[in-house]
Amino acid sequence: MAYPGKFALRLRPSIVVLFLLLSLPLFIATVWINYATNDSIARDTAHQLIEKARFETITSSTELVDPIKSLVKVAASLGEAEPEFFRQERAASYMTEMLAHSSNISSVYAAFDDGSFRMSLVLPPGGRIQDKALPAGARLATRWLDRKGGGPAQDRYVFFDAQGQPVGRSEAAAVYDPRVRPWFKDSVAAGRRLSVSDPYIFATTGLPGITIAMPFFAGGKVAGVVAADITLDSLSKFLASRPVSPNSLSLIVDDDDRIIAHPDASQAIRREDGKLLQNSLSRLSSKLPALAMASRPDKDSERFTFVDAHSGREYVAMFAKFPPTVGKAWRVMIIAPLADFSRKWTENNRKVLIFGAIAVALQVVLIYFLSMLIARPIEQLEKKVIDVQNFVSSPSRRIHSRIPEISSLIRAVNTLDSTIHAFSAFVPKGLVQQLLSSNQRLELGGSSRFLTIFFSDIESFSALAETSPAQELLLRVSAYLEAVTRAVNHEQGTIDKFIGDGVMAFWGAPAILKNHAYHACVAALRVQASMRKLNQQWLLEGLRPLNVRIGIHSDSVLVGNIGSAERMSYTVMGDGVNLASRLEGANKEFGTQVCISQTVFKEAGEQLWLRPINVVTVKGRRSDMEIYELVGIRGGDPELEATPEQIRLCVLTQHAYQAFSQGDLATALHRYTEIQREYPADPLTHAMVALCRQPQEASRSLGLQDPAV
């Protein structure tokens, strides 16, 4: 069957027609789109390459620092396990082995709280130690400064060649005290955590670097600090080896705009008054970084473009922060001219023309690919049928085909989908899912099950209906019903029916639900929270608020398909249903909003904040029942938790009710009166004060009519 008013194509002719319609137009459209989207492609490519460079730069920096952090942690753990280890000569070999782990480690050292200091370091070519030239062939050195014994300390160096053989020694009176160095103080202040220093220029190499340090403890006190110096010139080499584009510039800077790494290592430092200092963005030979900083829309912008007014060139820029795991507030700055990325797309357009000519010549191949267009709607239909069967609400998508057989199937599946969704609006979704999965017929019958039943209605609805316009009333009641439905569904409940302005719902059927009493209480609190928001909006519009009263009871009731063979309803019935409805009405007598039974209290009381109301006699029942006002939950959604004021009110009410329940009405009256003074607007307290003053009314019947359920 074809779509009405449209020309129907059979399967085989449709392939031929589609092929003829798509071959040449597709080629022309492809060429036009490629030329029209050059700028967009160039920008996307620029952003992708810059993002890749950002990721690689941060990864490279992390891979530089993280392994050395691990070495320092292990060394600190060793110092904690053996507090005297780094005072021993064997520690020098261990620290020299740490140097060998990475060419970026220039020195490793340990300082003690008494000022003793041990160090292993890589010697720079042409360097000097203790104002002396280095011995010939010296590549490494160990240093030991011992202040433990007291008296004048000596600063001793031992020099080694590349094979680890000693080639000389040097000794001088010690003037160096590690305890006054910033890295020692910062590490002690950091406690049992690694500390990473700000970059500074190493005196031995003239290169920028950082110090990673961690203290070790003995007897609960800091015994010393283990540290390693890392040179950052490898990051500059990495930036030089990985340019984003031929004319791009990548930098690593800190929060003070000081250069951490630059593709030209000489740009990372500057000489001022004979001293080597870290360079800054404003002092670079290229003005692009400073221009990019000035053109940044705001301090939180990571990607943006700007134009160099002098040259007229447009640039793409990125500022990205390093992850907190690095331990320092570093940023990657990448700047690249947009023209670097558009050149290859011009060449790509020429290739598209050649490709299109070849594609037209190979039209036969397209027939195979066009046949896939036939399979696509069938595949979509298959997925939709599975979604319908599993009752999964998939995103709305239109499945279309001009092939009559597929078109007819599409309409049938769409009709099935609409029918199932319409059916589920009147029947609990859980029941619909159960019917679809089991292939069972819908039949009369039910079983007894322990459930939680929920009733709600609007306070003074009759008066509201008499004074409100019909359309306004309909919209407001619909908003209330939507709030209740949303809350019940959120807490895995089942809406049974709408009874005028009332709602009946239950938990624990058709699907078994653990802790269903708690879920019902949470749903009630969600309803009240939603109604508070709606009432605020209505008050702003000059409308009266709608106050909702809710009753909740847990009991064994009959649940199932009830009615006749022609018309049935999945519902619950029994004395427990009537009692839940009467609890809803009890709110009117005590001025409460949510009233729950003692059964609900037993099932979920530990998870709720409740206020005891009274022991009441229910018409038609032999035993009395204690009822409670639901105030909030203990833990969970912060919006539904009781406030400190509500918690205090619950505690005070429980204290007062204890005396009331023991028959000590004088004490109860005193306590309720105290609550009344602190919470003058609390209607339950007013009701209980009245009961205490009239002993003959202290035991009351709910006195409500049986609900129409």
Side-chain angles (χ1 to χ4, degrees):
M1 184 181 295
Y3 281 105
K6 294 186 179 180
F7 180 70
L9 296 174
R10 302 298 299 176
L11 181 59
R12 188 169 298 178
S14 67
I15 297 176
V16 177
V17 172
L18 285 173
F19 171 72
L20 293 175
L21 292 176
L22 291 177
S23 57
L24 289 176
L26 181 62
F27 167 66
I28 296 171
T30 301
V31 174
W32 181 84
I33 290 173
N34 273 275
Y35 275 103
T37 57
N38 275 346
D39 182 69
S40 176
I41 294 173
R43 292 176 187 274
D44 289 345
T45 303
H47 287 310
Q48 290 172 7
L49 292 176
I50 288 176
E51 176 61 24
K52 179 182 178 182
R54 178 201 68 81
F55 175 80
E56 291 178 348
T57 301
I58 292 178
T59 300
S60 177
S61 303
T62 303
E63 290 175 351
L64 167 66
V65 175
D66 284 354
I68 300 174
K69 285 183 177 180
S70 298
L71 289 175
V72 174
K73 284 183 179 179
V74 172
S77 299
L78 179 58
E80 193 148 340
E82 298 183 46
E84 296 298 314
F85 172 79
F86 289 103
R87 296 182 186 274
Q88 302 170 11
E89 283 297 324
R90 60 188 179 122
S93 300
Y94 174 81
M95 297 168 79
T96 302
E97 289 179 3
M98 289 179 65
L99 286 175
H101 276 80
S102 172
S103 59
N104 297 302
I105 303 178
S106 63
S107 61
V108 178
Y109 41 91
F112 293 84
D113 59 346
D114 61 2
S116 298
F117 182 75
R118 185 177 294 279
M119 181 183 195
S120 291
L121 68 155
V122 178
L123 298 172
R128 298 178 68 83
I129 297 292
Q130 294 180 340
D131 204 26
K132 303 173 187 176
L134 299 177
R139 295 290 182 269
L140 301 172
T142 61
R143 181 183 183 185
W144 173 235
L145 193 161
D146 188 6
R147 286 194 174 94
K148 184 176 182 181
Q154 293 294 309
D155 198 353
R156 298 182 175 89
Y157 283 85
V158 180
F159 303 96
F160 302 87
D161 60 17
Q163 288 72 41
Q165 298 300 317
V167 295
R169 296 175 181 270
S170 179
E171 183 173 333
V175 295
Y176 178 81
D177 189 348
R179 295 170 295 184
V180 301
R181 307 298 294 172
W183 57 266
F184 188 95
K185 294 180 178 179
D186 291 345
S187 182
V188 171
R192 296 181 179 273
R193 295 183 291 109
L194 280 169
S195 62
V196 181
S197 72
D198 289 326
Y200 60 98
I201 304 300
F202 289 161
T204 55
T205 62
L207 296 174
I210 57 175
T211 297
I212 297 177
M214 185 173 185
F216 56 91
F217 294 76
K221 298 181 179 179
V222 175
V225 174
V226 179
D229 288 339
I230 308 174
T231 57
L232 299 176
D233 60 329
S234 62
L235 293 180
S236 295
K237 294 176 182 177
F238 174 84
L239 295 179
S241 66
R242 301 288 182 88
V244 176
S245 68
N247 300 296
S248 66
L249 177 62
S250 300
L251 306 171
I252 300 177
V253 298
D254 63 12
D255 260 354
D256 295 325
D257 293 337
R258 293 178 299 183
I259 306 300
I260 305 299
H262 190 288
D264 181 0
S266 63
Q267 291 282 310
I269 56 177
R270 74 176 191 274
R271 187 175 293 275
E272 186 173 312
D273 297 331
K275 297 180 180 180
L276 290 176
L277 303 174
Q278 271 187 276
N279 211 353
S280 61
L281 286 179
S282 60
R283 294 175 178 268
L284 291 176
S285 58
S286 172
K287 300 303 179 184
L288 279 178
L291 180 59
M293 289 289 292
S295 305
R296 194 177 185 186
D298 58 73
K299 65 178 183 179
D300 296 323
S301 297
E302 288 195 352
R303 299 178 183 176
F304 60 95
T305 59
F306 67 95
V307 177
D308 183 356
H310 179 71
S311 64
R313 301 179 71 182
E314 186 175 7
Y315 291 84
V316 182
M318 169 182 277
F319 292 76
K321 296 180 179 179
F322 274 63
T325 53
V326 174
K328 303 302 292 183
W330 292 356
R331 296 172 293 162
V332 179
M333 177 185 292
I334 302 174
I335 306 169
L338 189 60
D340 281 2
F341 306 95
S342 61
R343 294 191 187 98
K344 64 177 181 179
W345 296 111
T346 303
E347 177 63 25
N348 183 64
N349 287 332
R350 289 192 290 268
K351 293 179 180 179
V352 168
L353 288 173
I354 298 172
F355 172 79
I358 297 173
V360 172
L362 299 176
Q363 295 180 5
V364 177
V365 178
L366 286 176
I367 297 176
Y368 170 77
F369 292 101
L370 287 172
S371 65
M372 296 177 62
L373 295 175
I374 301 171
R376 185 177 181 184
I378 297 176
E379 294 169 352
Q380 292 175 328
L381 281 174
E382 179 190 17
K383 186 179 186 305
K384 189 167 186 177
V385 169
I386 294 173
D387 288 346
V388 170
Q389 184 178 1
N390 295 330
F391 213 75
V392 175
S393 180
S394 57
S396 177
R397 57 180 183 276
R398 184 170 179 264
I399 306 174
H400 174 72
S401 176
R402 290 184 178 275
I403 301 171
E405 294 85 354
I406 301 177
S407 176
S408 178
L409 184 59
I410 290 172
R411 288 196 298 276
V413 172
N414 286 338
T415 301
L416 174 64
D417 188 21
S418 300
T419 303
I420 294 297
H421 279 84
F423 186 49
S424 66
F426 298 94
V427 179
K429 290 184 178 180
L431 180 61
V432 178
Q433 287 178 313
Q434 182 176 328
L435 291 171
L436 290 174
S437 60
S438 64
N439 294 322
Q440 294 178 350
R441 295 176 59 85
L442 197 61
E443 298 177 347
L444 291 173
S447 60
S448 179
R449 188 181 295 183
F450 187 74
L451 306 178
T452 297
I453 302 96
F454 167 110
F455 273 89
S456 75
D457 80 345
I458 299 174
E459 178 183 319
S460 304
F461 180 74
S462 298
L464 178 69
E466 293 175 359
T467 58
S468 300
Q471 187 62 28
E472 175 192 297
L473 181 65
L474 177 62
L475 292 175
R476 297 180 70 191
V477 171
S478 296
Y480 146 69
L481 295 176
E482 173 64 25
V484 176
T485 302
R486 189 165 51 247
V488 171
N489 290 339
H490 188 278
E491 293 301 323
Q492 307 173 57
T494 299
I495 294 289
D496 187 308
K497 59 176 69 71
F498 298 123
I499 314 166
D501 65 313
V503 180
M504 175 180 172
F506 53 87
W507 277 258
I512 295 175
L513 178 65
K514 293 182 179 179
N515 208 8
H516 50 76
Y518 174 74
H519 282 283
C521 292
V522 174
L525 292 172
R526 290 192 186 279
V527 171
Q528 296 296 352
S530 298
M531 291 307 300
R532 283 193 292 272
K533 295 178 182 178
L534 287 172
N535 285 331
Q536 288 176 359
Q537 177 183 339
W538 288 333
L539 285 173
L540 293 176
E541 296 172 1
L543 301 175
R544 287 174 53 190
L546 300 184
N547 296 320
V548 176
R549 300 180 300 205
I550 298 172
I552 303 173
H553 176 57
S554 297
D555 207 340
S556 293
V557 294
L558 180 66
V559 58
N561 298 315
I562 300 171
S564 67
E566 288 76 20
R567 186 176 181 85
M568 63 185 69
S569 172
Y570 186 80
T571 186
V572 295
M573 59 189 303
D575 183 59
V577 179
N578 299 334
L579 184 53
S581 177
R582 294 181 181 184
L583 286 172
E584 179 272 314
N587 289 289
K588 181 178 180 180
E589 295 192 36
F590 294 102
T592 53
Q593 290 186 320
V594 184
C595 186
I596 69 171
S597 68
Q598 190 170 13
T599 312
V600 177
F601 170 78
K602 292 178 179 178
E603 292 292 317
E606 293 182 354
Q607 299 172 274
L608 307 169
W609 282 106
L610 303 170
R611 298 176 67 196
I613 298 177
N614 197 359
V615 175
V616 297
T617 301
V618 183
K619 288 183 178 180
R621 292 176 67 96
R622 297 179 180 177
S623 59
D624 295 342
M625 180 178 63
E626 195 166 18
I627 61 175
Y628 302 82
E629 179 189 14
L630 175 61
V631 176
I633 62 175
R634 298 174 184 259
D637 190 339
E639 186 181 8
L640 308 181
E641 290 186 14
T643 64
E645 292 78 9
Q646 290 175 321
I647 293 174
R648 173 170 172 76
L649 181 58
C650 289
V651 174
L652 293 175
T653 303
Q654 290 170 0
H655 188 52
Y657 182 75
Q658 183 179 9
F660 182 86
S661 63
Q662 294 171 354
D664 187 355
L665 297 184
T667 302
L669 176 61
H670 173 73
R671 293 175 180 176
Y672 277 119
T673 303
E674 290 297 319
I675 299 174
Q676 195 174 40
R677 289 195 188 99
E678 187 172 347
Y679 298 91
D682 178 45
L684 175 58
T685 304
H686 286 280
M688 295 308 296
V689 167
L691 283 178
C692 291
R693 288 172 175 169
Q694 301 179 23
Q696 68 275 14
E697 296 294 328
S699 177
R700 308 184 66 183
S701 170
L702 291 183
L704 302 179
Q705 298 298 323
D706 289 341
V709 296

